[in-house]
């Protein structure tokens, strides 16, 4: 695996792989990699011949009071994990390389509809930052495909719409969330939790599963389900940011006739905000 830090080096390495007729997959990340990222990279290796990963803690997608400065930067450990997972090329640019004209002078890509509500409401500007950096990375690498985790369900919807609306010639794959044994979705932010918080965190997934079972059993009183779910999460000491039942493709509020649903949750443990979701199809 080679690591490059500039767009120029990236393009040269990609051109070589293309010259050898290779199909290229991109796995964009912000580093501090865990087994979920490794799964994306190995899946990319099954789908393509040449796997590119990027590590860039993107300042555009962090709000002013968020964890940009303390977000873990662990390049050496990440390089080892990427190598082991079968990555061929790592792009690890600086902020200056990504935003040479400065952040405030950067063209912003804004995806309407699916960016609104939930994480879009709690983190104003977040999805503009995500859409902008993903658009830039896709243009820099020009991969045949890009892979993202389904844990960030709303982000995935934003990226799918971005690619569709801008006619970008790339296939987007969403890959299943990787979980700890107790069900907690793997996330770089889990590292912020103390032991007590870590022990409480799986209540998010337990609640999603319970709500999913009630939906499958025919319950369509969404407001009641959400109330019960909130109560269960808050009893475990978390503060619910949002808990919503949405139509899985449009992310519009679910209606009783919808068959493809997703339950999405975000909750705080202290200052750490965790997200998770459960998609389900009603028979
Ligand atoms: O999911 C992430 O790690 C980031 O939001 C992404 C897609 C790499 C964009 O910075």
């Amino acid at each position: 695996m080679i690591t490059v830090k500039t767009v120029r080096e990236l393009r040269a390495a990609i051109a070589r792989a293309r010259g050898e007729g290779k199909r290229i997959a991109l796995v964009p990340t912000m580093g501090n990699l865990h087994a979920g990222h490794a799964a994306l990279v190995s899946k990319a290796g099954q789908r393509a011949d040449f796997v590119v990963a990027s590590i860039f803690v993107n300042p555009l997608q962090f709000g002013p009071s968020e964890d940009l400065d303390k977000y873990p930067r662990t390049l050496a450990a990440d390089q080892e994990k990427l190598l082991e997972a079968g990555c061929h090329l790592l792009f690890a640019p600086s902020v200056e390389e990504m935003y040479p004209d400065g952040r405030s002078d950067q063209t912003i890509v804004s995806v309407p509809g699916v960016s609104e509500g939930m994480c879009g409401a709690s983190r104003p500007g977040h999805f503009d930052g995500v859409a902008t950096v993903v658009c830039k990375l896709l243009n820099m690498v020009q991969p045949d495909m890009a892979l993202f985790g389904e844990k960030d369900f709303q982000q995935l919807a934003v990226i799918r719409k971005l690619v569709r609306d801008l006619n970008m010639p790339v296939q987007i794959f969403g890959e299943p969330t990787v979980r700890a044994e107790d069900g907690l979705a793997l996330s770089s932010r889990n590292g912020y939790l103390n032991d007590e918080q870590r022990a409480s965190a799986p209540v998010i997934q337990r609640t999603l599963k319970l709500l999913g079972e009630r939906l499958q059993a025919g319950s369509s009183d969404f407001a009641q389900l959400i109330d019960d779910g909130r109560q269960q999460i808050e009893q475990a000491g978390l503060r619910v940011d949002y808990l919503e039942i949405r139509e899985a493709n449009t992310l519009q509020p679910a209606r009783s006739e919808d068959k493809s649903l997703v339950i999405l949750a975000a909750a705080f443990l202290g200052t750490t905000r965790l997200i998770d979701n459960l998609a389900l199809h009603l028979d």
Side-chain angles (χ1 to χ4, degrees), residues 56-133:
F56 179 61
V57 182
N58 172 32
L60 275 194
Q61 69 187 76
F62 287 77
S65 59
E66 292 184 350
D67 55 344
L68 174 63
D69 291 338
K70 77 166 184 177
Y71 200 88
R73 275 103 167 148
T74 52
L75 184 62
D78 290 347
Q79 281 170 315
E80 277 181 31
K81 289 178 190 161
L82 287 172
L83 182 64
E84 206 173 307
C87 178
H88 300 101
L89 173 64
L90 168 62
F91 178 47
S94 63
V95 174
E96 294 70 31
E97 184 69 13
M98 287 301 280
Y99 302 119
D101 293 339
R103 283 186 256 163
S104 53
D105 207 28
Q106 168 65 44
T107 300
I108 297 297
V109 180
S110 195
V111 180
V114 288
S115 294
E116 287 149 27
M118 299 179 291
C119 289
S122 311
R123 306 182 66 189
H126 170 66
F127 286 124
D128 287 359
V130 170
T132 302
V133 80

Side-chain angles (χ1 to χ4, degrees), residues 3-283:
T3 300
V4 295
K5 298 203 166 197
T6 64
V7 179
R8 196 188 161 94
E9 294 167 300
L10 172 72
R11 285 203 198 279
I14 298 282
R16 279 196 295 277
R18 280 263 177 245
E20 291 163 12
K22 293 186 169 153
R23 273 173 67 73
I24 295 172
L26 172 66
V27 180
T29 81
M30 297 205 302
N32 193 231
L33 305 180
H34 50 65
H37 297 110
L40 287 177
V41 171
S42 38
K43 195 73 203 203
Q46 290 165 24
R47 296 191 190 278
D49 313 302
F50 190 77
V51 180
V52 183
S54 62
I55 293 182
F56 179 61
V57 182
N58 172 32
L60 275 194
Q61 69 187 76
F62 287 77
S65 59
E66 292 184 350
D67 55 344
L68 174 63
D69 291 338
K70 77 166 184 177
Y71 200 88
R73 275 103 167 148
T74 52
L75 184 62
D78 290 347
Q79 281 170 315
E80 277 181 31
K81 289 178 190 161
L82 287 172
L83 182 64
E84 206 173 307
C87 178
H88 300 101
L89 173 64
L90 168 62
F91 178 47
S94 63
V95 174
E96 294 70 31
E97 184 69 13
M98 287 301 280
Y99 302 119
D101 293 339
R103 283 186 256 163
S104 53
D105 207 28
Q106 168 65 44
T107 300
I108 297 297
V109 180
S110 195
V111 180
V114 288
S115 294
E116 287 149 27
M118 299 179 291
C119 289
S122 311
R123 306 182 66 189
H126 170 66
F127 286 124
D128 287 359
V130 170
T132 302
V133 80
V134 169
C135 193
K136 283 172 73 81
L137 289 166
L138 291 175
N139 284 333
M140 289 168 179
V141 176
Q142 301 188 356
D144 298 283
M145 67 193 79
L147 293 84
F148 299 86
E150 285 176 345
K151 179 178 76 70
D152 298 284
F153 197 92
Q154 191 177 6
Q155 167 174 282
L156 187 55
V158 168
I159 292 166
R160 285 191 196 285
K161 182 165 165 59
L162 157 82
V163 162
R164 207 168 49 241
D165 286 359
L166 298 184
N167 303 90
M168 301 177 84
V170 59
Q171 205 175 354
I172 301 296
F173 289 101
E175 302 294 344
T177 302
V178 177
R179 298 180 179 279
E181 266 181 26
D182 59 9
L184 179 65
L186 297 192
S187 160
S188 300
R189 292 192 167 96
N190 292 352
Y192 298 151
L193 302 175
N194 63 31
D195 289 350
E196 196 186 328
Q197 292 169 333
R198 175 63 189 80
S200 306
V203 73
I204 303 176
Q205 197 224 10
R206 278 204 305 278
T207 305
L208 294 173
K209 277 172 109 174
L210 204 82
L211 296 182
E213 282 162 17
R214 287 175 65 183
L215 285 165
Q216 290 287 14
S219 174
S220 59
D221 186 345
F222 298 143
Q224 184 63 55
L225 288 169
I226 294 302
D227 273 0
D228 295 350
R230 277 182 162 285
Q231 234 177 66
Q232 173 161 340
I233 294 174
E234 283 180 355
Q235 266 162 14
L238 287 75
R239 180 166 63 80
V240 174
D241 180 15
Y242 64 77
L243 178 63
E244 305 220 6
I245 304 175
R246 298 270 175 138
E247 201 286 326
N249 300 302
T250 61
L251 288 191
Q252 289 299 304
R255 299 161 308 166
S256 50
E257 62 268 32
D258 290 333
K259 295 290 176 217
S260 292
L261 299 178
V262 58
I263 318 168
L264 303 110
F268 283 96
L269 273 150
T271 53
T272 305
R273 184 173 173 281
L274 301 180
I275 61 172
D276 203 348
N277 66 80
L278 177 77
L280 64 154
H281 191 80
L282 301 182
D283 305 323

